[in-house]
Amino acid sequence: MSEKIKITLPDGSERQYDRGVTAMDIAKDISEGLARNVLSAKVNGEVRDALRGIDKDARLELLTWNNEEGKATMWHSSAHLMAEALEALYPGVKFGIGPAIESGFYYDVDFGDQQFDSENLKQLEDKMLELARQKNEYLRKEVSKTDALAYFQEKGDEYKLELIDELEDGTITFYTQGNFTDLCKGPHIPNTGFIKAAKILSVAGAYWRGDESKKQLTRLYGITFPKQKELNEHLEMLEEAKKRDHRKIGQELDLFTFSQKVGKGLPLWLPKGAILRERLENFLKKAQVKAGYDQVVSPHIGGKELYVTSGHYAKYGEDSFQPIRTPAEDEEFLLKPMNCPHHCEIYKSRPRSYKELPIRYAEFGTVYRYEQSGELHGLTRVRGFTQDDAHIFCRPDQVKEEFAKVIDLILYVFKALGFADFTTQVSLRDPDNPGKYIGKDEDWERAEAAIQEVANEKGLKTVVETGEAAFYGPKLDFMVKDALKRSWQLGTIQVDYSLPERFELEYTGSDNLKHRPVMIHRAPFGSLERFVAILIENTAGNFPLWLAPEQMSILPISEKYHDYAKEVFLLLQQKDIRGQVDERDEKIGKKIRDAEVKKIPFMLIVGEKECEERTVSVRAHGHGDQGSMSLNGFVDHFQGLVDELLK
């Protein structure tokens, strides 16, 4: 066996190294500066310790703080560092799980009889940094199941013992840094010295393994950075995020509410919120008509067999509401978790010819999924939500063209709503876990190739994520960064050969034989509820002019000018400019301030001069006095701004 192995770097270049070389060795060979920043490495697609040996030919990507996987490695290592600090400060504490999350990490802790509250956070942070400065290595060790159980039995940690019981012998690893050892599969950063700034963000309760019948542990959320400056910037961002919280702004602007009697995770849209939703829907419906879509409507429930056929019941049955049983024997319905099975049945309602394809069905369909109550969060995680769903049934030779048209539609939506900073994620299946998916290998290969080809032809900035595909097909997800540089998955397009097979969909080809169509799933908004939440936080409630529920407020200086104000209101209403007349007996200054707080784009002040000259004095939200305009002049000005946004 050769002692040399071939390492292929992301740029395609190849290097020869001795077997057992580490990613850190390779980083040092490339550049000492690079090595100082390497946190972990991706070896043949698997994220591993940078100090772990590589024993065969491999594709290698060195991960730094600039990579999401690099950040995740550091945050997972930081959870271990926090646990070490807790053991030093609170001897005898026990630990549940401590993963990295989207922004930071958490660890579930059993303090026993010891008290821990927010007053102890600074002490914990200081201890973490004290330990970090020791630059202790994270040492990986493979252990037998017997030894693993013995270690935590001696330590008296029943949580780790429960986790080890579920593991297979030969798959168990420990990691040690300093005086702390934990059950963990890794990976970890080379040493604690990379952690230069730490903050414990919050303290919460969490039942062990999410089971309300088990003990409630203390969940500590934290975050770390390689520089104090970056932590300071993150904390400033969090403060700004609190101001932009869609739940807070949604309440201030009277957009939506929740009711315990209606049920957790089931939003109630108030009149202004309903207007916002309607405008979003009408905006997309108009664009869809131009793009050749037909509107369809499907019921909120479907027979259980529908979702068994589609595969949704097997994949998502546990996340759905329980079946609805009727008086009829063996008759069961489900609140629909997806719209696509219904659309398959609409397609199947009569014979189809190749000349009809592509057929594009669109629906703002409300679906229901039983999310855990602890995971519900405002509009971003709900149990009932509306998808701007559409399904395109096309011939195989039409897939690329239809996929490209959907990309164009999503880009149009993003432009109109001010989402300029985004990347696209090509989500492929995990070849090592075929049981997660349905369908034939050759169909998956064709679908994955088509998505990547079209994305390249469109010049999209893409990343490829293996294992992130839907169970029925690969997809292209649009990852949008908001005003606070947070990343959200919004639009999605999926290519599906499997559902047409499962539902036995057909069309008659030019050869007079039966063929299977290909199905493209797409949703520019995704969940309308989640999209509105992101839009609120991105704009801080200052919606694009065409979308604002109240686009203007007419402010008469006194009661004498109420009649003229109403006349202006009716004229603008005829031009589809929405708003209200503020007839309150208040000084004009207060009316202006209140309109500013409500983020109303235009304030139209009317008094004696305006009444005589048939004009309005215009103020723009956040920009002050815009001068006097005739009524037609204001309408033209308003429409020009809207046209610019929607062109």
Side-chain angles (χ1 to χ4, degrees):
M1 182 184 291
S2 170
E3 291 303 312
K4 293 287 185 181
I5 58 173
K6 181 175 68 176
I7 300 296
T8 304
L9 299 174
D11 63 0
S13 63
E14 297 177 353
R15 297 184 179 219
Q16 297 282 333
Y17 290 99
D18 292 332
R19 191 177 305 278
V21 67
T22 69
M24 185 61 75
D25 293 331
I26 297 170
K28 288 177 179 176
D29 186 42
I30 296 171
S31 158
E32 286 290 339
L34 173 61
R36 285 193 293 272
N37 292 294
V38 169
L39 299 174
S40 56
K42 192 180 283 187
V43 181
N44 289 330
E46 177 191 1
V47 181
R48 296 172 40 159
D49 305 324
L51 298 178
R52 189 174 169 190
I54 304 171
D55 58 7
K56 61 183 178 181
D57 293 350
R59 292 173 286 104
L60 175 69
E61 182 182 356
L62 299 169
L63 303 174
T64 69
W65 183 251
N66 294 324
N67 304 101
E68 292 304 314
E69 297 101 327
K71 285 187 175 73
T73 304
M74 180 150 138
W75 286 334
H76 182 51
S77 301
S78 299
H80 282 232
L81 180 67
M82 182 176 72
E84 182 184 5
L86 285 166
E87 270 197 349
L89 295 170
Y90 304 91
V93 293
K94 302 171 186 178
F95 298 100
I97 58 172
I101 54 178
E102 185 176 356
S103 185
F105 58 91
Y106 70 79
Y107 221 132
D108 290 339
V109 185
D110 184 349
F111 283 94
D113 295 330
Q114 302 178 82
Q115 294 298 313
F116 183 91
D117 54 39
S118 57
E119 295 177 3
N120 304 109
L121 298 183
K122 180 67 167 60
Q123 182 189 30
L124 177 56
E125 292 164 2
D126 290 343
K127 190 65 176 179
M128 288 177 66
L129 294 178
E130 175 192 325
L131 295 171
R133 287 191 288 269
Q134 295 177 8
K135 298 184 179 179
N136 293 315
E137 284 190 17
Y138 286 85
L139 302 173
R140 181 179 184 272
K141 180 183 178 182
E142 297 180 0
V143 295
S144 68
K145 188 166 186 175
T146 300
D147 289 345
L149 289 169
Y151 178 84
F152 282 105
Q153 280 168 350
E154 183 178 348
K155 195 173 182 182
D157 193 328
E158 64 268 28
Y159 306 106
K160 299 298 182 183
L161 290 171
E162 184 178 326
L163 294 173
I164 293 169
D165 272 337
E166 299 169 2
L167 300 176
E168 293 183 13
D169 205 353
T171 66
I172 299 170
T173 53
F174 281 4
Y175 275 84
T176 299
Q177 93 278 355
N179 295 316
F180 180 72
T181 296
D182 204 356
L183 169 72
C184 183
K185 66 179 182 179
H188 286 285
I189 59 178
N191 65 69
T192 59
F194 286 83
I195 300 168
K196 298 291 195 334
K199 185 71 176 176
I200 309 303
L201 298 170
S202 63
V203 182
Y207 292 105
W208 170 234
R209 311 197 85 172
D211 186 340
E212 295 181 6
S213 68
K214 295 183 178 178
K215 184 169 182 178
Q216 188 175 57
L217 307 181
T218 300
R219 177 168 292 181
L220 298 176
Y221 287 94
I223 197 164
T224 56
F225 289 89
K227 295 178 183 177
Q228 182 64 40
K229 177 173 177 279
E230 291 176 322
L231 173 58
N232 294 342
E233 290 171 350
H234 180 76
L235 295 177
E236 289 173 8
M237 185 274 289
L238 290 180
E239 285 303 311
E240 181 63 23
K242 287 180 185 177
K243 299 175 190 173
R244 290 171 174 258
D245 190 318
H246 75 277
R247 295 167 299 177
K248 172 178 172 288
I249 294 176
Q251 184 176 20
E252 291 170 352
L253 300 184
D254 291 327
L255 299 178
F256 60 88
T257 189
F258 289 89
S259 162
Q260 288 295 320
K261 287 186 178 180
V262 171
K264 292 180 180 179
L266 300 172
L268 297 168
W269 291 89
L270 304 176
K272 291 177 185 176
I275 291 171
L276 182 71
R277 276 181 61 117
E278 181 183 43
R279 283 181 176 249
L280 279 170
E281 290 185 16
N282 289 342
F283 159 71
L284 188 55
K285 284 177 181 177
K286 185 176 178 182
Q288 287 176 164
V289 168
K290 287 184 179 179
Y293 287 81
D294 292 313
Q295 197 74 21
V296 296
V297 178
S298 62
H300 290 246
I301 64 173
K304 179 181 173 182
E305 190 59 33
L306 178 70
Y307 307 112
V308 171
T309 300
S310 70
H312 287 101
Y313 187 77
K315 294 292 180 180
Y316 297 121
E318 293 182 1
D319 296 325
S320 299
F321 287 88
Q322 291 302 300
I324 303 165
R325 293 178 175 83
T326 73
E329 187 176 351
D330 296 328
E331 185 177 56
E332 292 184 327
F333 292 87
L334 289 178
L335 289 169
K336 69 174 175 181
M338 293 281 190
N339 297 301
C340 27
H342 295 254
H343 291 188
C344 287
E345 289 297 305
I346 292 174
Y347 176 91
K348 199 176 178 180
S349 62
R350 65 173 177 80
R352 306 288 179 178
S353 162
Y354 75 97
K355 295 179 181 179
E356 295 179 73
L357 274 53
I359 293 172
R360 309 177 186 95
Y361 292 142
E363 176 181 14
F364 280 87
T366 301
V367 299
Y368 303 89
R369 298 177 195 169
Y370 188 78
E371 303 285 359
Q372 296 296 318
S373 60
E375 296 177 344
L376 299 174
H377 181 81
L379 294 180
T380 59
R381 200 73 179 264
V382 291
R383 288 174 171 169
F385 56 94
T386 302
Q387 291 181 312
D388 59 324
D389 239 345
H391 298 95
I392 301 165
F393 300 89
C394 61
R395 304 189 307 266
D397 63 292
Q398 296 172 321
V399 169
K400 285 182 64 176
E401 180 183 358
E402 288 302 308
F403 200 92
K405 287 179 178 178
V406 176
I407 290 176
D408 290 338
L409 178 63
I410 291 177
L411 295 181
Y412 169 69
V413 169
F414 284 4
K415 179 179 180 295
L417 291 160
F419 290 114
D421 187 1
F422 63 88
T423 57
T424 51
Q425 176 179 301
V426 179
S427 299
L428 308 178
R429 62 179 170 163
D430 180 355
D432 298 325
N433 195 357
K436 284 174 60 178
Y437 312 99
I438 60 176
K440 301 173 185 173
D441 286 345
E442 58 266 31
D443 289 338
W444 274 89
E445 289 164 7
R446 289 158 67 193
E448 290 176 344
I451 289 175
Q452 290 174 299
E453 287 170 16
V454 176
N456 289 334
E457 289 168 8
K458 285 289 183 182
L460 298 176
K461 185 168 62 173
T462 63
V463 295
V464 176
E465 289 292 343
T466 301
E468 293 298 314
F471 76 89
Y472 47 75
K475 56 182 179 170
L476 185 71
D477 291 326
F478 287 74
M479 315 302 290
V480 175
K481 284 193 174 179
D482 67 12
L484 298 179
K485 300 303 178 184
R486 299 171 300 183
S487 186
W488 303 89
Q489 188 262 307
L490 289 182
T492 185
I493 322 172
Q494 304 162 1
V495 178
D496 179 6
Y497 285 81
S498 300
L499 285 188
E501 186 76 31
R502 282 176 165 253
F503 280 93
E504 300 179 338
L505 305 185
E506 296 177 336
Y507 66 89
T508 303
S510 58
D511 56 3
N512 215 29
L513 298 176
K514 298 296 184 183
H515 300 270
R516 289 267 185 263
V518 182
M519 191 173 176
I520 297 176
H521 307 242
R522 55 109 278 211
F525 295 154
S527 153
L528 192 58
E529 283 71 12
R530 187 166 173 272
F531 190 87
V532 168
I534 295 165
L535 189 62
I536 289 171
E537 297 193 3
N538 187 52
T539 63
N542 296 301
F543 300 113
L545 180 59
W546 64 271
L547 184 59
E550 286 186 301
Q551 296 164 320
M552 57 80 187
S553 182
I554 303 169
L555 314 179
I557 289 176
S558 72
E559 187 178 355
K560 288 192 298 184
Y561 308 108
H562 283 187
D563 288 344
Y564 178 60
K566 291 174 183 175
E567 185 182 336
V568 172
F569 172 78
L570 291 173
L571 184 145
L572 297 180
Q573 191 178 51
Q574 291 171 3
K575 301 293 184 181
D576 196 29
I577 300 176
R578 290 182 178 271
Q580 48 136 2
V581 178
D582 187 345
E583 295 183 328
R584 295 177 302 158
D585 185 19
E586 298 283 1
K587 293 184 182 297
I588 193 65
K590 177 167 175 50
K591 291 183 179 182
I592 291 171
R593 286 192 299 274
D594 290 348
E596 288 281 359
V597 168
K598 292 179 180 178
K599 305 177 188 294
I600 298 172
F602 284 107
M603 289 143 272
L604 308 180
I605 301 167
V606 295
E608 182 177 1
K609 183 175 181 240
E610 289 78 19
C611 189
E612 289 176 356
E613 298 178 356
R614 315 296 291 170
T615 61
V616 288
S617 181
V618 181
R619 291 182 66 88
H621 171 58
H623 297 284
D625 184 21
Q626 304 293 298
S628 180
M629 298 183 193
S630 68
L631 297 181
N632 288 336
F634 174 73
V635 170
D636 291 343
H637 175 66
F638 181 97
Q639 198 56 55
L641 294 173
V642 170
D643 290 345
E644 181 64 27
L645 288 168
L646 296 180
K647 72 178 181 181

